[in-house]
Amino acid sequence: MAKQVNQNDGVQRGLKDRHISMIAIGGCIGTGLFMTSGGAIHDAGGLGALLAFAIIGAMVFFLMTSLGEMATYLPVSGSFSTYATRFVDPSLGFALGWNYWFNWVITVAADVTIAAQVIQYWTPMSGIPAWSWSCLFLIIIFGLNALSVRVFGESEYWFALIKVVTVIIFIGIGLLTIVGIMGGEFVGFDTFTQGGGPILGDGFSGSILAILGVFLVAGFSFQGTELIGITAGESENPERAVPKAIKQVFWRILIFYILAIFVIGMLIPYDSPSLMGGGDDISTSPFTLVFQNAGLAFAASFMNAVILTSVLSAGNSGMYASTRMLYSMSKDKLAYPIFGKTNRSGVPYVSLFATAVVVVIIFVLQHLSGDAYEYIVAASGLTGFIAWVGIAVSHYRFRKAFDKQNYDKSKLKYKAKLFPFGPIFAGILCVLVIIGQDVDFIQSGEFNLNRFVITYMGIPVFLAFFIYHKLRYKTKIVPLEQVDLRQNVKMDDK
């Protein structure tokens, strides 16, 4: 049976429901859970970390339902860049799209570097230069994206499945340890509810500032869930697959993050030196510590393999997301038309090659000039949160335009929960987290210019994209009565 082609953009609808669902799951699970969750528990205590992840999880749930409503109504590869262009202001779509592309390009370059360090954990692999491993991983990632979207979806399915199985095993072993069936120390509820400072009371899990710091960790951990919207343009049945994947977000966060953090907090004291800052060493991963406490000697090696697949999965998804974003922007006249070319397999090969070239340039720059690379990374640091604000604003305007133009809401195959509370709550919380990025300054009052610039550099970079497009094309906010709500219509057909 021939693959369906998306007539809107020329890509092929080759992603099955299971691909979309597992990509959504994989977007939530990564090094944020496997590594930095330990630092979060150390800073805010077990209960404080659990509370922070639950709040950010609720925010992400509302964002994904907002994105899901738009993605099922208008499934395109550009996702929120296209929605911002249509429903808010073309300059906002331009800034969101290019910023997001830039962020994922940097992420891919960072991931192939991290993967090389992870694989050198095993002694036989350490004799091969790290740059050789990075080149090999980049070739693999490029190949998975160059063949077809079906190959990408299948690779992400298995990458994500490995992570899901690991978390399930971890939670199972942890709960068995807590109830005393397996070996290991159980620290108890008293220790679980301590840590993080006295501001909210002795019996609570931490200070407001500590929990705000964990908001940042949780937010970065959940970034990638917006890939659901980008995959909608290549889903075999987006009206069925996207809502199904989004409905799982809440339960996924509840089960994987909340239970995992509960297990870690109950089995490892918040003031344990092993949890200090989360660490980059695989031996400091709370997953490794819990497995070792349960008597599993191979824990560190096993978790290293899982983290390797997790990093490669992030790089694979990053290459896909950046390629599709660049491709879609060309369709919306926000990038050169040449980036919209696709091959017989529906792969936007020009966008893929261009993205890969920039990844290589950043990778080389990273090794030649560490300072320059630090600022490049800083420039993309807030991209995920800015994209989330863009999703919230776009959805709010989308639904208001529906009302203004008296559109029939039965046309919405999937409706976001608790509108307008959802996008308003998510947007405001995202802005608060963006403002509170420099927790050290808020806590100590000591201003550090270099730290401040690196922390907030992503904001002026985003504004530079926005202002450039605004000044060049003199765009204005699209009036609600003029918002284009037509389905299956290309932007350049208007």
Side-chain angles (χ1 to χ4, degrees):
M1 179 177 174
K3 295 178 182 177
Q4 287 182 293
V5 177
N6 182 342
Q7 298 299 332
N8 273 1
D9 9 60
V11 292
Q12 293 183 351
R13 295 197 179 279
L15 293 177
K16 297 180 179 295
D17 289 12
R18 65 182 178 89
H19 294 147
I20 302 292
S21 295
M22 201 59 82
I23 288 171
I25 292 174
C28 285
I29 305 174
T31 53
L33 178 60
F34 294 139
M35 299 296 291
T36 57
S37 57
I41 292 172
H42 173 267
D43 292 339
L47 190 56
L50 192 148
L51 178 63
F53 272 85
I55 293 173
I56 296 297
M59 180 194 79
V60 172
F61 174 72
F62 284 123
L63 284 169
M64 293 307 103
T65 58
S66 291
L67 183 57
E69 182 174 292
M70 295 185 289
T72 51
Y73 182 80
L74 187 69
V76 292
S77 294
S79 188
F80 44 87
S81 172
T82 297
Y83 304 145
T85 300
R86 278 201 179 196
F87 309 142
V88 187
D89 185 332
S91 294
L92 179 62
F94 177 85
L96 285 175
W98 279 106
N99 221 37
Y100 196 72
W101 174 82
F102 182 54
N103 172 68
W104 275 114
V105 167
I106 294 172
T107 299
V108 175
D111 285 338
V112 295
T113 300
I114 295 171
Q117 297 170 351
V118 172
I119 201 170
Q120 288 185 318
Y121 170 84
W122 294 293
T123 304
M125 308 298 186
S126 60
I128 301 175
W131 65 266
S132 299
W133 285 116
S134 295
C135 291
L136 175 62
F137 292 141
L138 182 57
I139 292 171
I140 292 173
I141 289 171
F142 181 87
L144 292 174
N145 278 268
L147 293 175
S148 70
V149 71
R150 182 69 60 85
V151 171
F152 163 78
E154 200 65 34
S155 63
E156 276 305 290
Y157 176 85
W158 291 105
F159 277 144
L161 186 62
I162 292 172
K163 294 187 283 187
V164 169
V165 170
T166 300
V167 176
I168 292 174
I169 293 174
F170 171 80
I171 292 173
I173 290 177
L175 293 177
L176 290 175
T177 303
I178 290 172
V179 299
I181 295 177
M182 296 194 70
E185 183 182 358
F186 170 50
V187 300
F189 287 97
D190 290 339
T191 302
F192 181 77
T193 57
Q194 294 174 356
I199 292 179
L200 296 180
D202 293 334
F204 200 65
S205 57
S207 70
I208 294 174
L209 291 177
I211 293 177
L212 176 61
V214 179
F215 276 176
L216 308 182
V217 175
F220 283 112
S221 298
F222 292 144
Q223 285 180 15
T225 50
E226 70 280 349
L227 283 172
I228 299 173
I230 294 177
T231 59
E234 294 175 275
S235 168
E236 286 185 346
N237 190 335
E239 293 180 357
R240 181 185 66 218
V242 174
K244 180 181 176 182
I246 287 173
K247 287 175 182 177
Q248 295 173 353
V249 167
F250 175 76
W251 299 110
R252 191 181 313 131
I253 291 171
L254 181 68
I255 294 173
F256 292 145
Y257 274 91
I258 304 304
L259 273 181
I261 289 174
F262 172 76
V263 166
I264 296 168
M266 293 292 282
L267 295 178
I268 305 174
Y270 74 91
D271 55 355
S272 169
S274 300
L275 292 181
M276 294 288 286
D280 294 326
D281 187 345
I282 189 64
S283 64
T284 66
S285 165
F287 277 60
T288 303
L289 296 174
V290 170
F291 282 143
Q292 286 177 337
N293 287 343
L296 304 178
F298 60 89
S301 192
F302 170 72
M303 281 308 304
N304 196 70
V306 172
I307 290 172
L308 177 61
T309 61
S310 180
V311 172
L312 291 177
S313 172
N316 194 32
S317 296
M319 185 69 80
Y320 172 82
S322 53
T323 299
R324 268 40 177 199
M325 185 59 73
L326 182 57
Y327 164 73
S328 184
M329 285 192 295
S330 74
K331 296 297 181 181
D332 294 345
K333 295 185 176 180
L334 301 176
Y336 291 114
I338 192 173
F339 293 121
K341 290 183 175 292
T342 57
N343 59 21
R344 291 182 178 180
S345 299
V347 175
Y349 64 95
V350 177
S351 293
L352 178 60
F353 274 107
T355 299
V357 168
V358 178
V359 168
V360 171
I361 291 173
I362 293 177
F363 174 76
V364 172
L365 184 62
Q366 175 185 1
H367 289 270
L368 294 179
S369 177
D371 292 338
Y373 178 73
E374 182 180 12
Y375 281 99
I376 289 174
V377 172
S380 70
L382 297 176
T383 299
F385 291 103
I386 292 172
W388 285 352
V389 173
I391 291 171
V393 173
S394 298
H395 178 236
Y396 184 83
R397 293 267 305 171
F398 168 72
R399 185 67 79 84
K400 287 298 182 181
F402 243 74
D403 294 336
K404 187 75 172 180
Q405 299 181 28
N406 296 316
Y407 259 66
D408 183 4
K409 286 191 175 65
S410 65
K411 291 177 179 279
L412 296 174
K413 303 299 182 183
Y414 172 77
K415 293 182 181 178
K417 312 299 182 187
L418 299 181
F419 182 88
F421 171 78
I424 293 175
F425 166 76
I428 291 175
L429 188 54
C430 272
V431 171
L432 290 176
V433 173
I434 289 173
I435 294 173
Q437 291 283 310
D438 194 352
V439 177
D440 292 337
F441 169 68
I442 297 174
Q443 193 166 13
S444 65
E446 297 179 1
F447 180 75
N448 182 300
L449 180 61
N450 185 61
R451 184 185 66 206
F452 181 84
V453 170
I454 290 177
T455 300
Y456 293 104
M457 191 173 173
I459 296 176
V461 170
F462 171 80
L463 291 176
F465 280 119
F466 179 82
I467 293 171
Y468 161 78
H469 191 270
K470 177 70 69 175
L471 293 177
R472 180 170 180 178
Y473 296 100
K474 306 294 191 296
T475 64
K476 296 180 180 180
I477 295 177
V478 183
L480 291 176
E481 60 272 12
Q482 296 178 21
V483 167
D484 183 5
L485 294 173
R486 292 176 295 168
Q487 295 174 280
N488 301 319
V489 178
K490 291 188 290 186
M491 292 295 294
D492 48 6
D493 284 346
K494 296 199 299 179

